[in-house]
Every structure is written in structure tokens, then in C-alpha cells.
Amino acid sequence: MQTRRQTLLTMLLICVAWLPESLGQTVLFEGNFDRGLSDQWQAVGLDREDYRILDGALELRLKPVRPKQPRPMLKVNLPFKTAETVIASVDVTIVGEPLRRGELAGLCPTDRDGSLFTVRKTNLDGYFVLAPGKVDFIGTPGQEGNPGKYAVKYWPADEAFGPLRITVRGHYAHFQVGPSSDGKYRTFFHSAIQETKEGLGFGIFAAGEPGDGERWVRFGNFRVTQ
């Protein structure tokens, strides 16, 4: 009997270990856009004609980022601190022709002054990639302070990699994508962010210089959990 109990306990522990990541988390905000745009969204540097709901997703018009001006975005303020663990994710799909060089679209944590950290799909020198890239130290011990001893690897912005994700934890922001079509997550970059206890949130943006015709980026399944 004791052996059977131990076996059942072991099986239970294995099942708990394999529970989905979402279980046990609190959903702070979810926007699937099936019912329109929540009143919690705030437009920064955008006119009403610069965003729209279409076929169950939110689309943003590409807007230029001007020096000394806030990044144009839609953002939502949420009750969390940079010391806590919070995860935001969103699907980002380019509408129509590919992004032109320097154009980008993505996700960022925000405070009252603007974005704290950005993750994006972008055209970098003609390549459609995920940024920031993964930084690898290629020098020898003692050369860590030399910026020339680091290499940056960029991954293609393949939709099969899954949503863009930002994890805020312990005053750091981590850039991930996933889950992919095969259930995997990839981590590319992390950075310290300013310690903040209030006035935080997340924003989505699409940026680029105006060209011929309208340029739009599609966002879906926006979700923030804690």
C-alpha cells in the first residue's frame, strides 16, 4: 500500500511539473479585439484614423518617430512594479508589402515618460529580423569592457517563432518569442530598466517614415499576466 501511495504521489508531482505556464498566473489585461477596442487603451502621438479594428485584430498605421517626441503608440496602464514578474505578449503581422529599411513594429513596457525597452520586428539593412539581437562575448577574459569584443546575432522575424514577449522581472526586461509552432521559446536579449513602482504599462507601436500610400501593421492576442 505504501508503495502504491508513493507511486501516486510521484505521478501527481510529475503532472504538476508539466502544468501549462499560464496556470497560476493572474491576467492583468487581455485584448483579443473581437469586441472592439477597450477603453483602457490610450493613444500617444496617434490620431483616431491611425488605428482601427479589422477582422478581430488591431491595426496601426506606421508613423514617424520624431526627435524629443514620445514614440507614437497605443498603451495600457497596469498595476505592477518593475521588481515583480510580469509577462506581456502580442502577435505582430505585417500587412501588405514587407517593411522597408528602418521600419519597425513591436512591443514595449512603458512609464510616464515613454518606453523603457522595446522589442520589434524590423528591416535591418534589408533583412527582416527580430531585434534586439542576441549578444555574445567573443573576446578573452579581461576584455569584457571592450564593446568591440561582442557579436550580435539576429534571427529572422519568422511568424512560426510565435508572439513577441517581454518578461519584466527584478528591474530587468527580457526579450523572448514563443511559443513557436513546435512549442518552443527563444530568449534573445535582456537589459536593466529603471526601478519603478507606479505609472507602468505596456504599449504597441509601428514606426516608419511616411511613403506612398498607407502602411499598416496588425496586432493580435495582446495579453499581460503576472
Side-chain angles (χ1 to χ4, degrees):
M1 179 65 68
Q2 184 66 24
T3 301
R4 182 181 178 186
R5 289 177 179 174
Q6 291 175 343
T7 301
L8 290 173
L9 177 60
T10 301
M11 292 175 64
L12 176 61
L13 292 173
I14 291 174
C15 290
V16 170
W18 283 93
L19 285 174
E21 178 185 346
S22 59
L23 292 184
Q25 293 183 340
T26 300
V27 177
L28 295 183
F29 184 82
E30 191 163 19
N32 54 22
F33 310 115
D34 288 336
R35 299 180 181 178
L37 195 63
S38 167
D39 292 338
Q40 288 184 252
W41 287 103
Q42 300 178 20
V44 178
L46 297 175
D47 296 324
R48 184 60 190 88
E49 60 268 23
D50 292 327
Y51 54 94
R52 64 192 184 189
I53 300 295
L54 189 64
D55 298 329
L58 171 65
E59 294 188 352
L60 297 185
R61 189 199 310 268
L62 268 74
K63 296 279 287 185
V65 179
R66 300 304 186 197
K68 299 182 180 180
Q69 296 294 322
R71 178 187 300 276
M73 70 173 75
L74 282 178
K75 72 171 187 175
V76 57
N77 294 329
L78 296 169
F80 69 92
K81 306 176 181 65
T82 55
E84 300 170 338
T85 298
V86 178
I87 302 172
S89 65
V90 67
D91 294 322
V92 179
T93 305
I94 310 305
V95 178
E97 65 180 272
L99 292 180
R100 300 165 183 164
R101 182 169 296 190
E103 294 180 337
L104 49 89
L107 173 68
C108 61
T110 62
D111 64 8
R112 291 191 177 97
D113 296 324
S115 56
L116 296 171
F117 177 79
T118 65
V119 304
R120 60 253 182 213
K121 294 184 176 183
T122 185
N123 183 324
L124 182 64
D125 295 330
Y127 296 93
F128 186 43
V129 299
L130 298 164
K134 187 176 185 298
V135 179
D136 292 322
F137 177 61
I138 58 174
T140 58
Q143 296 181 319
E144 288 83 0
N146 184 346
K149 298 300 179 180
Y150 290 84
V152 181
K153 179 179 180 180
Y154 291 96
W155 289 73
D158 192 329
E159 288 191 23
F161 285 163
L164 299 183
R165 288 166 54 93
I166 294 177
T167 299
V168 173
R169 179 189 299 119
H171 314 307
Y172 274 80
H174 302 259
F175 173 32
Q176 287 184 315
V177 292
S180 65
S181 56
D182 55 2
K184 294 181 180 179
Y185 293 84
R186 291 176 171 85
T187 301
F188 299 115
F189 186 83
H190 69 275
S191 176
I193 57 176
Q194 181 177 341
E195 181 177 345
T196 310
K197 296 181 179 180
E198 57 185 15
L200 293 166
F202 285 92
I204 53 178
F205 59 87
E209 289 297 328
D212 297 333
E214 295 184 339
R215 311 267 297 146
W216 295 86
V217 176
R218 189 172 176 85
F219 296 84
N221 301 313
F222 180 86
R223 196 166 191 259
V224 183
T225 59
Q226 187 176 48

